[in-house]
Amino acid sequence: MRKVLVIGYVWPEPRSSAAGSRMLELLGVFRSQGWQVTFASAAALSTHRADLAELEIEEVAVALNCDSFDAYVARLQPDLVLFDRFFTEEQFGWRVEQAWPAALRVLDTSDLHCLRDARHTLLKASQQACGSEAQRHQIGPVAATPQQLYAAMAASDMAQREVAAIYRCDLTLMISEFEMQLLQEQFGVPPSLLHDCALMLIPPTQDDLPFSKREHFLSIGNFRHAPNWDAVLWLKNALWPLVRARLPQAQLHVYGAYPPPKATALHNPKQGFHVLGWADDAHRVMAQARVCLAPLRFGAGIKGKLADAMACGTPSVTTAIGSEGMHGALPWPGHIVDTAEQFADAAVQLHEDTNAWSRARAHAADLLRSRFDRQRLGAELLARLERLLATREQHRQMNFVGAMLRHHQHKSTRYMSQWIAAKNAVSS
């Protein structure tokens, strides 16, 4: 029986974020093989975390910069260690290699953080060039070619750290084909280090309510995720006024985990803009809505909210960044637009035109089946991991850059961590 240790940046919250849904799906794939799975994290326990005991997954609290982790890994002797995002690999990767070098080291990016960060920087630069607050509200989504993105990313601390973590690992799970292409063509990452794995915890298709039984627009997303908060601001300041000008009685319900006071302050029933916060059942409210709005101006990865909309039979309006990596050559179940006027036109059409709404919804089933088949994706992942476990040493010999980075980069990380551990030991 394989032993898997997953080191989480946070405890998985599948009802709060797409990253939490993805993590729970990965854990389910491992457990489907009867593998012994342990989930460890140094994060504080969260209210909305998943009940891992239901999946027979052991939970272990670990400490940062503490040698007790090394001893724990040496006792566990895992076959595979999965790092949840690159910051976790930075903290624990060298410790895993030192304590149990036989373990296959796998990184799950969730999304490419340096890509999201670069797009955010480009958006802010465009806004700062505006002469007024009103003009800043009108700035649309970031439109940059892979070459332009590389120019914005190459010198950034985050890109260098994240790509270095990818090289240091035996395999990195990527959720977006666009990001895989960017890493290979612009950063020169070998395909042997990457695996296309668009696993998401997508709900079973709901009993679809017809057009006549649905009402209102819906927007949903964890408020702690910067692209989601920016999307709410763009909705409030630029997009929703255009929709209301066309549909004076329209109502927008904005849901999301962890709404800060600055978000709840936007609640304005007179404008039909309702900030409702946490949804006890996100899939239920999605299945009751007529149209999902996801006006993302920057970001990365694939968007759980849009996959959920497909499963719930809810057409969506989003941007090219929102749909990135999700549909390939298949038609989108709604509209992909990148200007405020186009967004409002598309939203109103889907909300009012039953034929347009039905045509959009019809595209969802094919897209989910083609792009997000969990059985196929899970089987492909397991087969790739088994091949790597059987050829681990040969695989590592071919990754000289990774070996070099582990030798040099982790020396500084290791010594800093050991210094903190020694300092903590003296102070206690």
Side-chain angles (χ1 to χ4, degrees):
M1 177 174 61
R2 298 290 190 192
K3 292 182 182 178
V4 178
L5 173 62
V6 179
I7 307 175
Y9 177 60
V10 294
W11 299 94
E13 295 187 14
R15 295 195 299 158
S16 299
S17 69
S21 295
R22 174 172 171 80
M23 177 53 70
L24 204 64
E25 186 73 348
L26 288 170
L27 295 173
V29 168
F30 298 148
R31 284 295 301 132
S32 71
Q33 301 302 294
W35 293 359
Q36 177 185 324
V37 181
T38 303
F39 192 96
S41 180
L45 294 175
S46 54
T47 305
H48 303 302
R49 71 184 188 279
D51 184 1
L52 298 183
E54 277 192 355
L55 295 174
E56 299 181 327
I57 294 173
E58 181 184 8
E59 294 180 345
V60 175
V62 295
L64 296 173
N65 305 307
C66 184
D67 293 343
S68 63
F69 176 83
D70 305 38
Y72 170 73
V73 172
R75 288 195 305 272
L76 183 63
Q77 299 183 4
D79 297 285
L80 184 154
V81 176
L82 177 72
F83 303 104
D84 174 22
R85 288 166 268 201
F86 79 91
F87 348 95
T88 305
E89 188 277 340
E90 287 181 327
Q91 288 283 349
F92 294 101
W94 68 270
R95 290 185 176 276
V96 170
E97 183 176 16
Q98 175 179 273
W100 192 246
L104 197 68
R105 296 182 294 273
V106 180
L107 171 64
D108 182 38
T109 57
S110 186
D111 59 28
L112 201 57
H113 291 64
C114 57
L115 172 60
R116 185 203 319 152
D117 184 66
R119 282 174 167 158
H120 196 184
T121 299
L122 291 170
L123 176 63
K124 288 186 287 189
S126 297
Q127 292 174 323
Q128 289 165 0
C130 294
S132 68
E133 187 68 18
Q135 289 177 333
R136 283 191 282 274
H137 291 323
Q138 298 305 317
I139 293 294
V142 173
T145 66
Q147 294 77 17
Q148 291 169 331
L149 289 170
Y150 176 76
M153 297 164 69
S156 75
D157 175 74
M158 183 174 289
Q160 293 180 11
R161 289 169 57 197
E162 189 165 23
V163 175
I166 289 170
Y167 270 103
R168 286 193 296 263
C169 288
D170 297 309
L171 188 69
T172 293
L173 308 184
M174 304 299 300
I175 203 166
S176 161
E177 61 190 6
F178 176 82
E179 294 173 10
M180 285 191 62
Q181 185 175 1
L182 184 70
L183 286 173
Q184 292 175 57
E185 296 183 0
Q186 301 300 319
F187 288 88
V189 176
S192 60
L193 298 181
L194 305 174
H195 182 72
D196 188 0
C197 184
L199 277 170
M200 295 291 293
L201 187 63
I202 299 171
T205 302
Q206 303 282 322
D207 291 333
D208 287 342
L209 291 176
F211 179 88
S212 61
K213 298 289 187 180
R214 292 174 178 247
E215 58 182 358
H216 308 322
F217 294 95
L218 175 142
S219 179
I220 190 166
N222 190 319
F223 283 95
R224 289 180 177 174
H225 191 53
N228 291 337
W229 169 236
D230 178 76
V232 171
L233 289 177
W234 197 33
L235 267 171
K236 175 68 174 180
N237 295 309
L239 306 179
W240 188 242
L242 295 176
V243 174
R244 284 278 285 192
R246 294 160 171 77
L247 297 176
Q249 302 306 314
Q251 305 293 310
L252 171 62
H253 293 174
V254 181
Y255 291 95
Y258 305 108
K262 63 182 179 180
T264 55
L266 300 179
H267 181 71
N268 190 326
K270 289 184 178 179
Q271 296 175 353
F273 198 92
H274 305 268
V275 180
L276 304 177
W278 173 262
D280 288 331
D281 188 338
H283 300 145
R284 179 181 59 81
V285 298
M286 179 69 79
Q288 293 174 345
R290 187 171 289 180
V291 181
C292 172
L293 303 180
L296 293 157
R297 292 193 287 187
F298 71 97
I302 60 176
K303 316 306 180 293
K305 62 178 74 65
L306 292 171
D308 288 349
M310 295 176 207
C312 294
T314 307
S316 60
V317 185
T318 190
T319 62
I321 287 175
S323 66
E324 184 178 271
M326 294 192 70
H327 66 109
L330 294 174
W332 186 256
H335 292 285
I336 301 170
V337 293
D338 279 334
T339 70
E341 289 288 344
Q342 290 172 341
F343 197 96
D345 289 343
V348 170
Q349 182 197 38
L350 287 175
H351 190 273
E352 295 296 293
D353 186 337
T354 182
N355 292 325
W357 186 88
S358 297
R359 287 194 301 271
R361 188 171 74 160
H363 296 314
D366 286 343
L367 201 157
L368 285 175
R369 185 166 49 250
S370 172
R371 308 280 297 189
F372 300 98
D373 183 335
R374 67 203 320 172
Q375 281 76 29
R376 175 181 60 81
L377 293 169
E380 289 174 354
L381 173 60
L382 291 168
R384 183 76 182 272
L385 293 174
E386 288 290 359
R387 286 197 303 272
L388 276 181
L389 285 164
T391 60
R392 178 180 55 243
E393 295 310 316
Q394 302 95 303
H395 179 76
R396 289 174 178 173
Q397 284 179 3
M398 298 299 293
N399 182 17
F400 179 78
V401 173
M404 181 174 61
L405 287 169
R406 291 198 305 276
H407 176 78
H408 291 288
Q409 180 70 17
H410 269 193
K411 292 296 184 185
S412 59
T413 307
R414 171 183 174 179
Y415 294 146
M416 175 59 75
S417 181
Q418 289 177 330
W419 179 80
I420 294 172
K423 180 182 176 183
N424 291 341
V426 171
S427 63
S428 61

